[in-house]
Amino acid sequence: MSATRADAVTFSDLSRNPRAVAERAARLGRVRITHRDAPDFYLTAADREEQREATLSTATRLLLAFLKHDPTARALVIAMPEVFPWVRHLTSDELRAFTLELVGALSDAAELDVDDNAQEVIAGWRATARIKASPADYAAARKGTSGDFGPVQVSP
């Protein structure tokens, strides 16, 4: 569940009236704090966040149990196109690899509080599917290279 604009307050509101903002967060479950010069954040009751963590852990353990009883991950692989329609561009081996890698990343999020990995796994496999969706791009990506292409430009 994401906060709507009605569930948002400014950082200035929080600074001026922290009690009212805290009461609102307790009543609504969480409030988005918008900040003009920095990323937004949420003010959430600790028990609610703990419930979210327990829910993620339970869902991940369920997925891991599926894998334990079906090492081919058949049920999960069959469900993946409903969640990620772009997987139709992946081979069956790639789809299975994506499924296993995603479940592992979700487990890391639930058990180790490593939240970035799941989105990185999805982004990486989506990029693979995007290249494979275009025969011309895929053919170009598969061509051999040689030589030095110079320094890598890193964007912030």
Side-chain angles (χ1 to χ4, degrees):
M1 177 182 185
S2 61
T4 63
R5 280 286 180 210
D7 300 339
V9 298
T10 66
F11 188 78
S12 298
D13 293 335
L14 176 63
S15 300
R16 284 192 296 262
N17 199 347
R19 170 174 256 145
V21 172
E23 289 171 356
R24 186 173 181 183
R27 186 177 72 252
L28 296 174
R30 72 179 183 175
V31 172
R32 184 180 194 123
I33 309 297
T34 60
H35 197 286
R36 182 180 21 201
D37 300 324
D40 294 353
F41 63 93
Y42 286 100
L43 180 61
T44 306
D47 62 341
R48 180 178 172 139
E49 184 62 23
E50 289 163 0
Q51 288 173 347
R52 291 173 83 97
E53 289 175 7
T55 299
L56 176 61
S57 180
T58 300
T60 301
R61 287 179 178 171
L62 183 62
L63 293 174
L64 289 170
F66 273 128
L67 293 179
K68 180 180 179 184
H69 295 285
D70 178 12
T72 65
R74 188 176 192 293
L76 294 177
V77 169
I78 290 170
M80 291 294 277
E82 290 184 38
V83 180
F84 305 104
W86 44 262
V87 299
R88 69 183 179 278
H89 299 290
L90 302 178
T91 66
S92 58
D93 286 343
E94 290 169 334
L95 176 55
R96 185 173 183 284
F98 170 43
T99 303
L100 296 174
E101 191 175 348
L102 181 58
V103 170
L106 291 171
S107 177
D108 289 347
E111 305 299 331
L112 303 173
D113 290 328
V114 179
D115 295 324
D116 296 345
N117 292 357
Q119 295 307 312
E120 289 177 11
V121 167
I122 293 167
W125 281 103
R126 183 184 297 130
T128 299
R130 183 179 297 123
I131 288 290
K132 293 183 85 174
S134 167
D137 289 344
Y138 188 53
R142 293 178 52 102
K143 286 185 180 175
T145 60
S146 63
D148 184 353
F149 295 98
V152 175
Q153 299 295 320
V154 179
S155 57

